[in-house]
Amino acid sequence: YDAIATIAGEAGVAPFIDKAVAAGIPVATFNSETATVNGRAFFVGADLYKQGEAAGKAMAEAIGGKGKVAIITGFLAVEAHELRRNGFIDYLAKNNPEVTIVGTAENQDKGDVAFTQANDFMTANPDLVGIYVTAGGPFGAAEAVEKAGKAGVVQVVSFDFVDETMAYVQKGVIYGTIGQDPFAQGHDPAIRLFNMLVGGVSPECGRMVTKADLVTKDNIDQYWTAP
């Protein structure tokens, strides 16, 4: 390979990045990167902690700044998911102390698992007002909320603009979902690595943060059309 672009969501990737760099192969990271120091040339992706804060703000707006909220995360061992989870918790603790986090569950980024976990949270907490999904499968949680007849009562906040998620945003079951410009995350590393190889031009900034638009039922027409 002349160059490599990779997701680096946890520390175990760092030694392999360094091995490639030592062999003269430039490496770019995208989407998520480990906090472990490594030789990657640059990163393209969202500021995941700030995304968590943005999700906390959206949840506070959705539930009126108080009530019980559950968290469904992909993997507790994945740094990217933890940044989103901790940003959310920290924002609410600082700005909305009347919000109580009732628990956290791992869904391994699976919608069917999120469906079961959302039902469990609602059963254990009949007065639950929010579910925050840090990573994959938020449409599973939304399906559980809708089937329980609690759309608009239990607010869901999530990430990404996949069709299943956006359909629930359009219906008002998911209060809001936050994007991370996946096109740029794929496009920019390829272009910048090419420029490094062919023109010897390195990016001026080693960390390029992508857009993080919040999409709700009110503005979804600007971002998505049903297939």
Side-chain angles (χ1 to χ4, degrees):
Y1 297 100
D2 295 306
I4 297 171
T6 181
I7 292 172
E10 55 96 23
V13 181
F16 296 97
I17 293 175
D18 289 341
K19 185 177 180 180
V21 173
I25 303 170
V27 178
T29 55
F30 67 96
N31 183 261
S32 58
E33 67 170 352
T34 176
T36 301
V37 176
N38 61 79
R40 64 99 169 117
F42 61 88
F43 167 74
V44 179
D47 185 318
L48 296 163
Y49 184 83
K50 287 188 178 297
Q51 280 199 319
E53 290 182 318
K57 181 179 180 181
M59 180 63 77
E61 292 172 350
I63 65 176
K66 60 182 179 180
K68 295 180 179 179
V69 174
I71 298 174
I72 297 175
T73 193
F75 298 90
L76 289 166
V78 172
E79 291 177 46
H81 300 174
E82 280 295 272
L83 286 169
R84 283 180 173 173
R85 187 175 73 91
N86 288 325
F88 180 83
I89 292 170
D90 292 348
Y91 178 90
L92 292 173
K94 179 179 179 180
N95 298 283
N96 302 95
E98 292 185 76
V99 175
T100 301
I101 307 298
V102 298
T104 298
E106 291 180 287
N107 74 329
Q108 292 83 47
D109 283 345
K110 296 177 181 178
D112 57 339
V113 177
F115 176 86
T116 300
Q117 291 169 338
N119 275 320
D120 290 345
F121 277 126
M122 289 187 290
T123 299
N125 305 274
D127 53 348
L128 192 74
V129 296
I131 298 174
Y132 170 50
V133 186
T134 73
F139 42 85
E143 181 185 3
V145 169
E146 185 177 50
K147 287 187 173 179
K150 293 190 174 182
V153 176
V154 176
Q155 302 287 358
V156 180
V157 173
S158 66
F159 293 95
D160 297 326
F161 295 171
V162 299
D163 288 340
E164 296 94 332
T165 298
M166 296 298 263
Y168 280 110
V169 173
Q170 191 174 59
K171 291 194 291 184
V173 180
I174 293 178
Y175 172 79
T177 192
I178 299 170
Q180 53 182 327
D181 200 350
F183 182 86
Q185 291 186 25
H187 175 274
D188 286 14
I191 296 298
R192 295 175 193 275
L193 286 170
F194 178 86
N195 290 343
M196 289 178 68
L197 292 169
V198 176
V201 179
S202 296
E204 292 183 8
C205 179
R207 192 165 187 268
M208 289 158 278
V209 177
T210 53
K211 296 185 296 182
D213 299 311
L214 172 65
V215 176
T216 67
K217 184 178 180 180
D218 293 335
N219 67 354
I220 192 170
D221 291 343
Q222 301 174 34
Y223 296 89
W224 183 75
T225 301

